Amino acid sequence: MFSYVSPETRVPATHPLRAIRALVRDVLHEMSRSFAWLYSREGRPSVPPEQLLSALLIQVLYGIRSERQLMEQLDYNLLYRWFVGLSPDDPVWNPTTFSKNRERLQNGDIFQKFMSRLLNHPRVTPLLSDEHFSVDGTLIEAWASQKSFRPKDGSDDDGSDFHGQKRKNDTHASTTDPESRLYRKAAGREAKLSYMGHALMDNRHGLAVGGRVTQATGTAEREASEAMLKAKAKSAAGRITVGEDKAYDTADHVANLRDAGVTPHVTQNNGETKTGRHRRSAIDGRTTRHPGYAMSQTRRAMIECIFGWGKQHGTMRKTKLRGVARVAGTFMLNLIAYNLVRIPKMVAI
């Protein structure tokens, strides 16, 4: 008995992946030159970069926890094969080979280029604002246990009993993921080995237009915000505005943004400190009296949808990779996938 199965006919015409796939194909076609120099013409054929990137997007869109499981599901899932561009008879790749080729894409800055091409797509550009943005950060739990957080001088035992000990990033480091840092998001919360992801959002439709990953420190959010906004301000025709929460309300940060041509619409932090002293906000009535300030504060909350989607549906809740560079690649893929889910709902692809 012979059966001829066409994945194209098995995928429903109204399936949401159809619009996403069409958009991804347009962007990949424009990136063909960027892919060409990454692969040598000699030696054994490697994983085609277009299929590799499509498979990574499937992993994020469906929250597949590992690349080994991704290869397993690509072997029998016709929907995934259709999206990636594999016929029913094509063999899937070895998980180790797939991982090595993923790092090649990451080292070639392909994820960032894909994001730029996606945002410059003729049907996507009209959705974006060139003046109003929001910035926020989120913690990404590292792939390291608390027991691996040991003294740097090697004076501790196996680290199994750390209760009652004072552990700091200055004196301790994880033996499995040294670049992760022990950090807590707020007082009273559990401190975890984490990285910090930062997103730059367009205020018009809530699309992610930039992102980066840093080590989790008390100043990382402000430093990342300044770096992303300075680059955005250089490409803008005039001044831009940015909505941020009260964690960004420091005199140095506000001054740095204004010097870069950015109007900071930061939530005022006039609360009381632990010592009973009242903080003095760096944002005064000269900024808050404008209607745009209230609008920025209202739109700023939409950035939580990006983080919420990435942690609930994507792969952002707990990274399976180690090191800032690798985690940054996964974080950028989650931002791209979030945009791909949102864009077809706003335009006809």
Side-chain angles (χ1 to χ4, degrees):
M1 183 185 301
F2 295 93
S3 175
Y4 297 93
V5 179
S6 173
E8 182 68 30
T9 60
R10 299 296 297 273
V11 179
T14 58
H15 198 284
L17 274 186
R18 283 194 174 274
I20 295 176
R21 184 175 184 263
L23 191 57
V24 170
R25 291 293 181 273
D26 288 345
V27 177
L28 291 177
H29 179 72
E30 296 178 2
M31 295 180 63
S32 57
R33 290 186 178 181
S34 299
F35 293 137
W37 66 271
L38 286 175
Y39 290 86
S40 174
R41 297 183 179 180
E42 302 176 356
R44 293 180 298 176
S46 186
V47 182
E50 295 84 358
Q51 294 181 350
L52 175 63
L53 193 49
S54 298
L56 290 172
L57 289 174
I58 278 290
Q59 182 180 9
V60 176
L61 288 169
Y62 285 89
I64 301 174
R65 67 174 183 267
S66 68
E67 292 171 359
R68 186 171 296 276
Q69 188 184 55
L70 174 63
M71 295 301 101
E72 178 185 339
Q73 296 200 23
L74 269 177
D75 197 24
Y76 60 75
N77 194 314
L78 285 179
L79 177 66
Y80 294 173
R81 282 180 170 267
W82 167 81
F83 186 88
V84 173
L86 295 173
S87 70
D89 296 329
D90 288 337
V92 297
W93 310 287
N94 181 276
T96 303
T97 303
F98 186 86
S99 298
K100 288 183 178 296
N101 282 270
R102 181 212 3 111
E103 295 214 4
R104 187 176 297 178
L105 284 190
Q106 183 173 311
N107 295 336
D109 206 20
I110 296 299
F111 301 151
Q112 183 62 50
K113 292 178 181 178
F114 187 95
M115 172 69 96
S116 299
R117 294 293 182 115
L118 175 63
L119 297 177
N120 290 326
H121 191 280
R123 296 183 179 179
V124 178
T125 302
L127 302 175
L128 304 176
S129 170
D130 57 357
E131 297 180 281
H132 308 294
F133 304 92
S134 294
V135 170
D136 203 358
T138 187
L139 287 183
I140 303 173
E141 189 175 348
W143 192 251
S145 68
Q146 294 280 6
K147 294 180 181 179
S148 71
F149 196 63
R150 305 178 187 176
K152 296 179 181 179
D153 58 9
S155 59
D156 197 11
D157 52 4
D158 59 356
S160 59
D161 185 12
F162 55 84
H163 297 285
Q165 299 179 7
K166 291 185 178 180
R167 305 189 301 168
K168 297 182 179 179
N169 291 308
D170 295 337
T171 58
H172 290 64
S174 172
T175 56
T176 54
D177 189 0
E179 294 187 38
S180 63
R181 293 176 66 87
L182 197 65
Y183 191 84
R184 68 180 68 196
K185 187 65 175 177
R189 301 287 295 274
E190 178 187 0
K192 297 180 179 181
L193 287 167
S194 308
Y195 292 92
M196 190 167 284
H198 314 272
L200 176 64
M201 184 193 73
D202 156 71
N203 277 6
R204 181 175 294 175
H205 286 97
L207 297 176
V209 296
R212 61 175 52 201
V213 169
T214 64
Q215 290 184 311
T217 66
T219 60
E221 287 186 301
R222 295 186 290 273
E223 292 170 354
S225 171
E226 292 170 14
M228 291 188 294
L229 290 170
K230 285 179 181 178
K232 182 62 66 175
K234 288 182 180 179
S235 60
R239 291 187 67 87
I240 64 175
T241 67
V242 60
E244 297 175 327
D245 61 31
K246 63 182 181 181
Y248 297 84
D249 186 12
T250 65
D252 292 340
H253 178 65
V254 170
N256 291 338
L257 291 184
R258 286 171 174 161
D259 291 341
V262 181
T263 301
H265 289 169
V266 181
T267 303
Q268 290 180 302
N269 186 8
N270 293 319
E272 186 175 331
T273 65
K274 294 181 180 179
T275 60
R277 183 178 61 87
H278 285 275
R279 293 186 177 92
R280 182 176 180 181
S281 174
I283 303 296
D284 53 27
R286 293 174 297 176
T287 301
T288 59
R289 63 189 174 94
H290 295 286
Y293 177 83
M295 294 177 63
S296 291
Q297 287 297 303
T298 301
R299 303 297 288 178
R300 177 183 61 80
M302 293 179 62
I303 202 169
E304 297 297 338
C305 296
I306 299 176
F307 300 143
W309 184 91
K311 293 186 176 183
Q312 180 69 24
H313 303 286
T315 58
M316 198 187 297
R317 179 179 295 276
K318 184 170 184 176
T319 180
K320 302 301 186 294
L321 303 175
R322 296 167 181 168
V324 172
R326 291 172 177 163
V327 177
T330 301
F331 183 72
M332 183 58 65
L333 282 171
N334 276 269
L335 298 185
I336 293 171
Y338 176 80
N339 286 346
L340 289 173
V341 171
R342 290 287 314 283
I343 291 170
K345 299 177 182 178
M346 295 180 280
V347 297
I349 303 298

